[in-house]
């Protein structure tokens, strides 16, 4: 029996691309709806999943948390470096810690640290332990990119339009950065607006985006640091909220009528960033029901369906109104991405 390997963050970074991760996330979205839509899954050309809601273990005085996220995704397709698209059966488990005091350390550490255990889907043999910190940042952003692709750019009046969009980023930490990069790499963004409670972080992100602009669909977007949330989101087509606020920062009267919001921040709950008046009128989409039933239990809103149901055309893309992707994160996302990274690294070593 061969020994498992450890894959470092630098090794992950060497092969991780937005096309690779977006493909994996789209497969993960589809997999969680397949159990209901395709009961005879062995006869269907669809990915499928088995996962539970994440478990949480608190550390001393509730100063941090360990989240355990096991998941199995079967028959998910990956594009390999040789051009082949192959199906995989993947078993994985992510261990992720949330330690908010890390940012005060000298030198600081990321607030969220993660490792992914990748196991053989047939034998259960541990293949590798993979640093999952970068994957967590990217796959969370990729989930918003894929949701935006279907919930905003899937609208008929947007399809075929050559007009670019205005993107507003609220919260300029790790998630703000990864979301800005992912959105601008996938979509034509004419203007990027940034807001952060500590303004210097927005300024820092502005500089990073300016350096990365050659990788964007539109290489010449206007990048603006905004002093207020209302200034940042006024007239924006797509909004990302990636903060740790425990109180709402976004109100209905700040928004244009057909905006799409990706709500990804986390504090005491996963839905503290948006005011109730938004949830009263918005159509809300989720990544998976098992997580939503646990982590969105107190949310009063119209949850339409899982994003995967829109991807497989079981539910229609809304043509107008406010849409919200309420992001929770799924174990099968991490497993699918880890499998893709593992395969690409194996190819590099051949």
């Amino acid at each position: 029996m061969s020994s498992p390997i450890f894959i470092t963050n630098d090794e992950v970074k060497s092969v991780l691309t937005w096309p690779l991760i977006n493909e994996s996330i789209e497969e993960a979205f589809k997999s969680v709806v397949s159990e209901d839509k395709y009961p005879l899954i062995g006869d269907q050309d669809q990915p499928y999943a088995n996962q539970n809601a994440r478990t949480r273990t608190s550390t001393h005085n509730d100063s941090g948390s360990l989240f355990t996220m096991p998941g199995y995704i079967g028959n998910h397709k990956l594009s390999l470096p040789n051009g082949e698209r192959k199906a995989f059966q993947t078993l994985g488990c992510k261990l992720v810690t949330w330690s908010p005091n890390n940012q005060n350390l000298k030198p600081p550490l990321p607030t969220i640290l993660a490792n992914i255990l990748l196991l053989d889907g047939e034998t259960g043999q541990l293949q590798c332990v993979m640093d999952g910190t970068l994957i967590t940042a990217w796959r969370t952003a990729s989930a918003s990119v894929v949701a935006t692709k279907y919930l905003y750019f899937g609208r008929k009046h947007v399809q075929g339009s050559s007009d670019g969009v205005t993107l507003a980023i609220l919260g300029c930490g790790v998630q703000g950065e990864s979301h800005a990069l992912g959105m601008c790499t996938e979509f034509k963004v004419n203007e990027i607006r940034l807001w952060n409670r500590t303004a210097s972080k927005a300024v820092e992100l502005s500089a990073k985006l300016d350096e990365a602009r050659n990788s964007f669909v539109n290489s010449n977007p206007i990048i603006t640091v905004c002093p207020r949330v209302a200034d940042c989101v006024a007239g924006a087509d797509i909004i990302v909220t990636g903060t740790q606020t425990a109180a709402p920062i976004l109100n209905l009267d700040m928004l244009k009528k057909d905006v799409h919001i990706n709500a990804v921040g986390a504090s005491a709950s996963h839905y503290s960033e948006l005011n109730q008046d938004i949830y009263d009128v918005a159509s809300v989409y989720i990544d998976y029901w098992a997580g939503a039933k646990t982590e969105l239990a107190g949310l009063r809103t119209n949850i339409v369906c899982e994003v995967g149901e829109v991807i497989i055309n079981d539910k229609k893309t809304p043509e107008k109104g406010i849409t919200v992707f309420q992001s929770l994160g799924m174990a099968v996302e991490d497993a699918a991405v880890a499998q893709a990274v593992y395969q690409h690294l194996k190819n590099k070593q051949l």
Side-chain angles (χ1 to χ4, degrees), residues 168-276:
I169 303 287
L170 304 180
C172 296
V174 171
Q175 283 304 325
E177 179 178 347
S178 59
H179 274 77
L181 292 171
M183 294 286 179
C184 292
T185 303
E186 180 71 15
F187 309 124
K188 182 181 179 183
V189 177
N190 289 342
E191 183 177 3
I192 312 166
R193 299 190 196 142
L194 307 172
W195 174 86
N196 196 81
R197 197 177 300 277
T198 303
S200 60
K201 293 190 72 172
V203 174
E204 290 173 7
L205 180 54
S206 175
K208 290 181 180 179
L209 296 177
D210 189 55
E211 291 179 0
R213 63 172 61 243
N214 287 337
S215 65
F216 298 166
V217 173
N218 173 20
S219 61
N220 195 34
I222 299 168
I223 305 174
T224 306
V225 174
C226 300
R228 301 186 306 152
V229 170
D231 299 327
C232 189
V233 302
D237 302 293
I238 300 164
I239 299 171
V240 174
T241 60
T243 73
Q244 295 183 22
T245 181
I249 57 171
L250 198 60
N251 300 323
L252 182 63
D253 60 8
M254 300 177 180
L255 309 177
K256 66 180 294 186
K257 61 180 181 179
D258 293 327
V259 67
H260 173 68
I261 304 169
N262 298 288
V264 300
S267 59
S269 75
H270 273 281
Y271 52 90
S272 57
E273 299 170 302
L274 278 57
N275 197 41
Q276 184 60 45

Side-chain angles (χ1 to χ4, degrees), residues 48 72 74-75 88-91 119-125 127 339:
Y48 58 99
Y72 174 81
N75 201 35
F88 288 87
Q89 325 300 325
T90 301
L91 180 64
L119 304 101
D120 186 288
E122 298 293 336
T123 67
Q125 182 179 356
Q127 295 175 318
Q339 184 73 71

Side-chain angles (χ1 to χ4, degrees), residues 57-66 98:
T57 303
S58 297
T59 57
H60 180 65
N61 290 332
D62 207 26
S63 59
S65 298
L66 167 67
W98 175 69

Side-chain angles (χ1 to χ4, degrees), residues 1-39:
M1 186 171 68
S2 59
S3 299
I5 62 173
F6 181 76
I7 296 176
T8 68
N9 194 61
D10 286 342
E11 290 173 312
V12 172
K13 189 176 181 179
S14 72
V15 297
L16 198 60
T17 65
W18 288 107
L20 177 151
I21 200 165
N22 291 341
E23 176 187 51
S24 298
I25 294 302
E26 192 157 327
E27 289 287 287
F29 273 143
K30 290 190 293 184
S31 74
V32 296
V33 302
S34 291
E35 290 181 77
D36 295 330
K37 305 302 175 185
Y38 305 103

